[in-house]
Amino acid sequence: EAGVAQSPRYKIIEKRQSVAFWCNPISGHATLYWYQQILGQGPKLLIQFQNNGVVDDSQLPKDRFSAERLKGVDSTLKIQPAKLEDSAVYLCASSLSNSGANVLTFGAGSRLTVL
Amino acid sequence: GDSVTQMEGPVTLSEEAFLTINCTYTATGYPSLFWYVQYPGEGLQLLLKATKADDKGSNKGFEATYRKETTSFHLEKGSVQVSDSAVYFCALRGGGADGLTFGKGTHLIIQP
């Protein structure tokens, strides 16, 4: 089966600019996640969708970050305006459902550098 | 809230050495436990998992046993290879509709 697709793989922007990342999960996976992985740290959950509804966005900095999954399939994560501390790899993952035992499959990630 | 603590790296071993990477967790209820691996230049991949106490997950010669009494899920391999060099992440998923909570990762370097 095709994996989780993400684009772009790399993005360099200046602070206060905006950026958007796109994710297409594995076909049939109802649950989609966005994680932020800062260099040297473990991934941190930003937002979790179940179909097109938000399950958890408690760690999403909502003053600058937004995400949507309008048709319950692919998703977009936006940062506006970007700050230096947003430099990280943004990982998208999907799973069949939000059951605890279900495995998350990750995409290759989108590496953001904010100058 | 939920948290995962794993040993700091980097861990440097010679080929064919025995490997242990410690992982302990704090969680309410009965979480599922996972080890993910990130090879250089690649994305996170599931290595193994265990969903209940005393379960043993295994894959590619790696093993980890879900120990509820010590809240641990240590990763072991009897004889490591250079190709095992990667960053290893311990993670848990709570009993509800939660995403994964990750540890900070352990960088493993295997020297020939």
Side-chain angles (χ1 to χ4, degrees), chain B residues 1 8 23 25 38 44 50-51 61 63 82 91 105:
Chain B
E8 298 283 327
C23 171
Y25 67 90
Q38 193 168 35
L44 280 166
T51 58
E63 293 182 339
V82 172

Side-chain angles (χ1 to χ4, degrees), chain A residues 31-47:
Chain A
T31 313
L32 185 148
Y33 312 79
W34 283 102
Y35 281 82
Q36 179 192 57
Q37 186 178 14
I38 293 173
L39 186 66
Q41 298 182 21
K44 181 184 82 171
L45 179 66
L46 292 176
I47 189 167

Side-chain angles (χ1 to χ4, degrees), chain B residues 13-54:
Chain B
L13 295 173
S14 298
E15 205 166 22
E16 299 183 5
F18 184 86
L19 167 72
T20 300
I21 300 178
N22 290 337
C23 171
T24 57
Y25 67 90
T26 302
T28 54
Y30 301 94
S32 294
L33 302 175
F34 304 82
W35 277 99
Y36 277 79
V37 59
Q38 193 168 35
Y39 296 105
E42 298 185 17
L44 280 166
Q45 302 173 25
L46 176 70
L47 181 60
L48 53 83
K49 70 173 186 177
T51 58
K52 62 182 188 295
D54 300 325

Side-chain angles (χ1 to χ4, degrees), chain A residues 33 35 42 48 98-99 101-102 104, chain B residues 36 49 89 93 97 99-100 103:
Chain A
Y33 312 79
Y35 281 82
Q48 175 184 346
N98 57 10
S99 164
N102 274 187
L104 274 67
Chain B
Y36 277 79
K49 70 173 186 177
F89 292 92
R93 192 170 186 191
L100 286 170

